[in-house]
Amino acid sequence: MIVTLLVLRCQHVLTQLFCLCFFLLSLQNDGRLRFSKQNVVYKSSKTGKVDSIPAGELNMAQWRRVCLGHGIKLGTSTGHIYKYDGFRDTDFEKISEFFKANYKLDLTEKDMCVKGWNWGTAKFSGPLLSFDVNDSTAFEIPLSNVSQCATGKNEVTLEFHQNDDTEVSLMEVRFYVPPSQADERQDPVEAFAQNVLSKADVIQATGDAVCIFKELQCLTPRGRYDIRIYPTFLHLHGKTFDYKIPYTTVLRLFLLPHKDQRQMFFVISLDPPIKQGQTRYHFLILLFSKEEDINLTLNMSEEDVERRFEGKLSKNMSGSLYEMVSRVMKALVNRKITVPGNFQGHSGAQCITCSYKASSGLLYPLERGFIYVHKPPVHLRFEEISCVNFARGTTTTRSFDFEIETKQGNQYTFSSIEREEYGKLFDFVNAKKLNIKNRGFKEGKIDEYSDSDDDQHDAYLERMKAEGKIREEGNDSDDSDGGSGEYDSNASASDSSDEGDESEDESAKKKKVKKAKVVKEKKERKPRKEKKQKDSGGPKRPMSAYMLWLNSSRERIKSENPGISITEISKKAGEMWRQLGKDEKEEWETKAGEAKRQYDKAKKEYKESGGGSTSSSKKESKKSGGKKDEKKRKSAGGDKDRERGGGNDSFKSKEFIETSEESSSDSDHKSKSKRKKVKAVIDKC
C-alpha cells in the first residue's frame, strides 16, 4: 500500500526524528542479553522481567545499523519479532559465528534507507509496520506501542504509549493514504486502520466481564472502584476516572498482611504504569478487611471455566473477599503471588513501621527483596541492591534509619524505625548476604558464599540489646513496687473501729510534720586548662616519613587521577603507602630521622640563645594573676555568706520577737494551771 507520511517538519529533520524515536522505542529498558545453545534470554535491569526465545523457534536474524550503534532483529516461527540495540561494530563477527555454529542461522546485514523521503510503501509483517522507500526500510513501528488509531479523510493517525524513562518520546504519526481505483469495494483508509488495530495495544471492551467486584477500596489511585475482570484486561471504573489495564503489563502480584492483623494489602505491579494526567501509578494497591466475605459466580459456563482455567477456578466460589480477588487475578494473569517470608519483627508482625519521604508506611522484607506500602510504593529486588546501611536517627536516639543504595546509584532511606527492630532486621539482611555499608567492607570482590561476616562483633547491636534488657528490668521493678500493698478482705468491724482512733491521731501528726527542704551544695568549678601557646620564633617540627612521601607524590596522584578531590587524594595516598615495600619505606624513614635530628639540634641552640624564656615568663605571670583573682572571689563570696547566713543567729525581726514572747507566756500559763489541778487532786485524796 503506497502512502505518504504527513508530519509538519522538513524531510531531513524527519529522518533524524524517526531514527531517534525508533531507538528509544526499541530501548525502553536497559538490560542484559545472553546467547546460549538452548535459547536467547533478555533480562530487563529495571523491572527484572525475563524474555526467553527458544533456539528452535528462531528463523530470521538481521544485523542493522541504528542510531548511535548497531542492532539485531530476531524473528520466530510463531510470528514474534524481537529487536535489541546497543551493539558495537566489532560484535558482528563474533555473533555471526555463534549463530552459524549453534543456531544454523545466517546473520544477514540489512541496510536502512536514509534518503529522507516522506513517500513510500507501508507493509504489515506480523507485529511490525515497516515504511519502505525503494525496497529499503526507512523505519519500523512496533504495533504493540500503538495506543490509539484514528481515521479521517484519506488520513490515518497513530498515537503511541509514552515512555517515561526517555527525554524525547514520539507522540503520534499521520499517514496520507491516496484513494485506490483498483478495489472500490474496500476503503484503503479503513483497511490500513484494521491492519493496525489487529496488532495494536488498543483495549476494546467487547463481550461481558468474567466477574465484577464492586466498591473496592483502592489506595493508589485513591478512591473506591468497581473492578471488572475481562479475559484480557482489567477495568477499574470509578466516579471520576476509568483505567483499563492489560494483563500483559502486570509484572508481579503481592498479598501482604497489615500490621494490625485485621486487614490485607493486595498489590499489583505494572509496567508500563497507568496514567492520570502527569501522574504515573506503577502499583495498584487494594485494601481489604479480613472479615469481609463474598459469594462469587463467574459469568461463564462450567465447561468453559474448566477448559480455560484448568481447575484453578470454579464457577461458584465463596470465601474472604481478598482471597477471591487474588485467586481470580492469579488465574487470569498466570503469575505467582508473592507473600512475606519467615521474617518477624519485634512485635511479631511480618513488617516494620517506618517513614519514607515524610509519609508513614510499612516495610515488608520478602524472600527476594523489599516492598514498601504505600505512599509512594517502592519495590527493591536483592539483585539490584548494591549495599544497605544502618544509620542513627536524625531526631531521636530511640529510632534508626535503614538506607538502601541500588546499583544504578539511587538511594532509598526508610526512617523512624524503632530500635527494637534493629536486631531482627540486621539478622535478616545478614542472612540474605547483602553488603552492609557501615560494617566496613574492603573494596574489591566479595565472596558471596563465605561465612566470615557472621562471626563479626556488632557493638551497636550489643549495646541496643543491653539497653532493651535494662528497660525491661526497670519496667518490671516499677510494676512490682506499685502493686506490693496487702489487703485483708475478712477483717472484722471491731478491729477497724479500734484502729480508727489511732489512725486519726497518726494522720494528724503527719499533717503537722513538714518535710525539710534539701539544699544541694554547689560544687566549685575546676579552673580551665590553659592552652599551650606556640613559640613563633622556634624551629618547626619535622614531618613524618608518610608526610614527606605524600608531598613528593601528590602531583603524581593528581596527574594519574584527573578531577580527584582533596579527600579522595588522601584516601588514595593511604592505600598507596600501605602497598609500599619495606625498602621503599626505609628510604623515607631515614629522611624523617635525619629531619628529626636537625630539629633537635636547632631546638637546643634556640634554647641556649634565650629563646622561649619570654613565653614562660608570660605563663607564670598569668598563673599568679589568676590565683590572686581566685582569692579575691573567694573572700568576697565568704563575706556575702556571712551577711546572709551568719546574721540569722543574732538578728530577729520585731514580729518574730512578739510571737515568740506570746507563745512562751501561753506555755507558762498552761503549765501553772496543770500544777494547780494536780495539787487539788492530791488534797482530796
Side-chain angles (χ1 to χ4, degrees):
M1 182 180 293
I2 299 175
V3 296
T4 303
L5 194 62
L6 295 178
V7 178
L8 299 178
R9 296 179 186 272
C10 65
Q11 296 179 0
H12 181 66
V13 176
L14 177 68
T15 303
Q16 292 182 348
L17 174 67
F18 275 103
C19 289
L20 179 61
C21 293
F22 170 72
F23 175 73
L24 295 173
L25 288 171
S26 61
L27 282 183
Q28 290 186 0
N29 294 318
D30 294 334
R32 292 186 177 183
L33 181 65
R34 184 184 68 184
F35 298 103
S36 64
K37 295 181 179 180
Q38 293 78 19
N39 52 15
V40 178
V41 180
Y42 174 77
K43 185 174 183 180
S44 173
S45 59
K46 178 187 175 184
T47 62
K49 187 177 180 181
V50 178
D51 293 331
S52 180
I53 309 171
E57 295 182 1
L58 292 174
N59 59 4
M60 185 263 291
Q62 291 181 358
W63 178 268
R64 305 184 303 171
R65 178 67 184 268
V66 296
C67 184
L68 303 178
H70 293 78
I72 290 179
K73 177 182 175 181
L74 301 177
T76 63
S77 57
T78 57
H80 293 87
I81 301 294
Y82 301 90
K83 292 187 293 184
Y84 305 101
D85 297 348
F87 295 96
R88 294 180 296 236
D89 190 14
T90 56
D91 297 332
F92 174 74
E93 294 181 2
K94 181 170 57 176
I95 298 175
S96 179
E97 292 176 0
F98 184 86
F99 273 43
K100 285 182 180 179
N102 297 280
Y103 303 152
K104 309 300 180 184
L105 197 64
D106 292 332
L107 184 62
T108 60
E109 294 189 57
K110 181 72 174 179
D111 295 331
M112 305 291 290
C113 179
V114 292
K115 290 183 178 180
W117 293 359
N118 66 335
W119 64 89
T121 305
K123 294 182 180 179
F124 294 91
S125 57
L128 289 178
L129 167 60
S130 62
F131 188 79
D132 296 349
V133 177
N134 292 340
D135 296 332
S136 296
T137 304
F139 62 87
E140 292 177 339
I141 297 177
L143 294 178
S144 59
N145 290 323
V146 177
S147 63
Q148 194 59 257
C149 179
T151 59
K153 185 179 180 180
N154 298 331
E155 285 185 12
V156 179
T157 303
L158 305 183
E159 296 181 5
F160 300 96
H161 293 294
Q162 301 305 304
N163 186 7
D164 299 328
D165 297 333
T166 59
E167 297 179 357
V168 180
S169 186
L170 182 62
M171 301 293 294
E172 69 174 34
V173 174
R174 286 185 294 139
F175 293 94
Y176 171 76
V177 183
S180 176
Q181 298 179 357
D183 190 359
E184 297 179 355
R185 291 174 298 178
Q186 186 178 12
D187 187 5
V189 175
E190 292 296 331
F192 189 95
Q194 289 299 324
N195 288 327
V196 172
L197 291 174
S198 63
K199 299 294 183 180
D201 188 13
V202 179
I203 301 174
Q204 297 178 354
T206 58
D208 297 330
V210 176
C211 60
I212 300 175
F213 299 98
K214 293 187 176 181
E215 292 294 322
L216 296 185
Q217 184 180 356
C218 192
L219 299 181
T220 54
R222 189 175 179 182
R224 288 193 173 270
Y225 291 86
D226 293 342
I227 297 183
R228 300 175 182 176
I229 307 294
Y230 287 90
T232 57
F233 67 95
L234 181 71
H235 184 200
L236 270 69
H237 176 69
K239 295 181 179 179
T240 309
F241 300 100
D242 282 5
Y243 302 98
K244 295 178 181 178
I245 305 171
Y247 295 142
T248 55
T249 64
V250 176
L251 288 179
R252 294 175 183 86
L253 302 174
F254 301 92
L255 188 61
L256 309 171
H258 198 279
K259 195 172 185 179
D260 58 7
Q261 302 298 327
R262 292 181 296 177
Q263 295 174 310
M264 296 290 292
F265 292 111
F266 185 63
V267 184
I268 303 175
S269 175
L270 304 172
D271 183 62
I274 57 178
K275 304 168 186 178
Q276 181 179 315
Q278 297 298 323
T279 307
R280 304 291 185 266
Y281 296 105
H282 292 270
F283 293 88
L284 178 65
I285 302 179
L286 302 174
L287 182 63
F288 299 96
S289 174
K290 285 187 174 181
E291 299 176 355
E292 192 172 358
D293 298 332
I294 188 176
N295 294 321
L296 184 63
T297 301
L298 300 182
N299 190 17
M300 299 173 66
S301 62
E302 292 184 359
E303 292 80 8
D304 293 339
V305 173
E306 183 64 28
R307 184 180 68 256
R308 173 156 188 179
F309 301 113
E310 299 177 354
K312 297 178 182 178
L313 297 177
S314 58
K315 182 175 177 60
N316 297 311
M317 297 181 292
S318 62
S320 300
L321 180 58
Y322 73 90
E323 290 181 354
M324 293 297 101
V325 174
S326 59
R327 187 176 173 184
V328 170
M329 288 297 299
K330 180 182 178 182
L332 287 169
V333 179
N334 197 20
R335 293 190 180 277
K336 296 181 180 179
I337 296 179
T338 304
V339 296
N342 300 324
F343 175 81
Q344 279 193 344
H346 177 73
S347 60
Q350 293 179 300
C351 57
I352 297 172
T353 304
C354 62
S355 296
Y356 176 64
K357 291 187 177 180
S359 296
S360 180
L362 300 174
L363 180 65
Y364 290 85
L366 307 175
E367 288 300 319
R368 295 185 180 181
F370 295 96
I371 186 170
Y372 174 79
V373 178
H374 78 289
K375 194 175 181 181
V378 177
H379 179 229
L380 299 170
R381 307 186 311 277
F382 289 155
E383 59 188 21
E384 62 178 335
I385 295 176
S386 173
C387 62
V388 299
N389 183 25
F390 293 88
R392 296 181 182 273
T394 55
T395 57
T396 176
T397 57
R398 296 184 63 85
S399 63
F400 67 95
D401 297 346
F402 183 58
E403 300 173 354
I404 299 177
E405 186 175 342
T406 62
K407 295 177 181 178
Q408 287 78 20
N410 300 323
Q411 186 169 353
Y412 301 85
T413 302
F414 303 96
S415 59
S416 302
I417 304 176
E418 296 179 358
R419 60 180 178 182
E420 287 81 6
E421 304 283 1
Y422 176 83
K424 298 285 186 179
L425 186 57
F426 183 87
D427 294 340
F428 175 82
V429 171
N430 203 23
K432 297 300 179 183
K433 297 180 181 179
L434 296 178
N435 184 5
I436 301 176
K437 189 175 182 180
N438 52 354
R439 181 185 281 177
F441 280 149
K442 294 182 180 179
E443 295 182 359
K445 293 184 179 180
I446 300 172
D447 187 6
E448 296 180 354
Y449 302 98
S450 63
D451 296 333
S452 59
D453 298 332
D454 298 338
D455 301 329
Q456 290 187 0
H457 177 69
D458 189 358
Y460 189 44
L461 174 61
E462 296 296 333
R463 193 192 72 182
M464 299 189 86
K465 286 182 178 179
E467 289 179 358
K469 290 181 181 179
I470 293 170
R471 195 182 308 106
E472 291 176 0
E473 292 174 358
N475 294 335
D476 295 340
S477 63
D478 293 341
D479 296 339
S480 61
D481 294 342
S484 61
E486 296 181 359
Y487 301 94
D488 187 4
S489 59
N490 299 324
S492 62
S494 60
D495 295 339
S496 62
S497 62
D498 294 338
E499 294 174 356
D501 299 334
E502 295 178 2
S503 62
E504 289 178 0
D505 295 339
E506 290 177 358
S507 61
K509 290 179 182 178
K510 287 179 180 178
K511 288 181 180 178
K512 291 180 181 179
V513 178
K514 293 182 179 180
K515 291 183 179 179
K517 292 183 179 179
V518 179
V519 181
K520 293 182 180 179
E521 296 181 357
K522 294 183 179 179
K523 296 182 180 179
E524 294 183 359
R525 293 183 178 179
K526 295 181 179 180
R528 294 182 179 178
K529 294 182 179 180
E530 296 181 357
K531 294 182 179 179
K532 294 181 179 181
Q533 294 183 350
K534 294 182 179 180
D535 191 359
S536 59
K540 292 184 179 180
R541 287 182 174 274
M543 288 189 289
S544 62
Y546 169 72
M547 291 304 297
L548 290 171
W549 172 84
L550 178 60
N551 287 340
S552 64
S553 305
R554 184 179 282 107
E555 295 299 329
R556 179 168 58 87
I557 295 173
K558 286 183 180 180
S559 61
E560 292 177 356
N561 302 276
I564 192 171
S565 61
I566 298 174
T567 56
E568 292 174 350
I569 288 175
S570 60
K571 291 181 182 179
K572 188 72 176 177
E575 294 175 0
M576 294 172 65
W577 175 255
R578 292 190 210 102
Q579 295 175 359
L580 287 179
K582 291 184 179 180
D583 298 337
E584 295 177 347
K585 285 186 179 180
E586 284 180 2
E587 178 186 353
W588 296 101
E589 286 172 358
T590 53
K591 292 181 180 180
E594 182 65 26
K596 182 71 169 58
R597 287 190 292 272
Q598 293 178 1
Y599 168 75
D600 294 338
K601 183 179 179 181
K603 187 177 180 181
K604 185 177 180 181
E605 294 176 354
Y606 178 71
K607 286 184 177 181
E608 290 175 356
S609 62
S613 60
T614 56
S615 60
S616 60
S617 61
K618 286 181 181 178
K619 290 180 183 178
E620 291 174 359
S621 63
K622 283 185 178 180
K623 288 181 181 179
S624 60
K627 290 180 180 178
K628 290 179 182 179
D629 293 339
E630 288 178 3
K631 288 180 180 179
K632 288 181 181 179
R633 291 171 189 164
K634 288 181 180 179
S635 61
D639 296 339
K640 288 180 181 179
D641 293 338
R642 287 169 195 156
E643 290 176 2
R644 292 175 185 170
N648 290 339
D649 298 335
S650 59
F651 175 75
K652 294 181 180 180
S653 63
K654 182 179 180 182
E655 291 82 5
F656 180 79
I657 294 170
E658 289 177 355
T659 54
S660 61
E661 287 177 354
E662 290 175 0
S663 61
S664 62
S665 62
D666 293 340
S667 61
D668 294 340
H669 180 70
K670 288 179 181 178
S671 61
K672 287 179 181 179
S673 62
K674 286 182 180 179
R675 288 171 187 169
K676 288 179 181 180
K677 289 180 181 180
V678 172
K679 287 181 180 180
V681 172
I682 293 170
D683 293 339
K684 287 180 181 180
C685 294

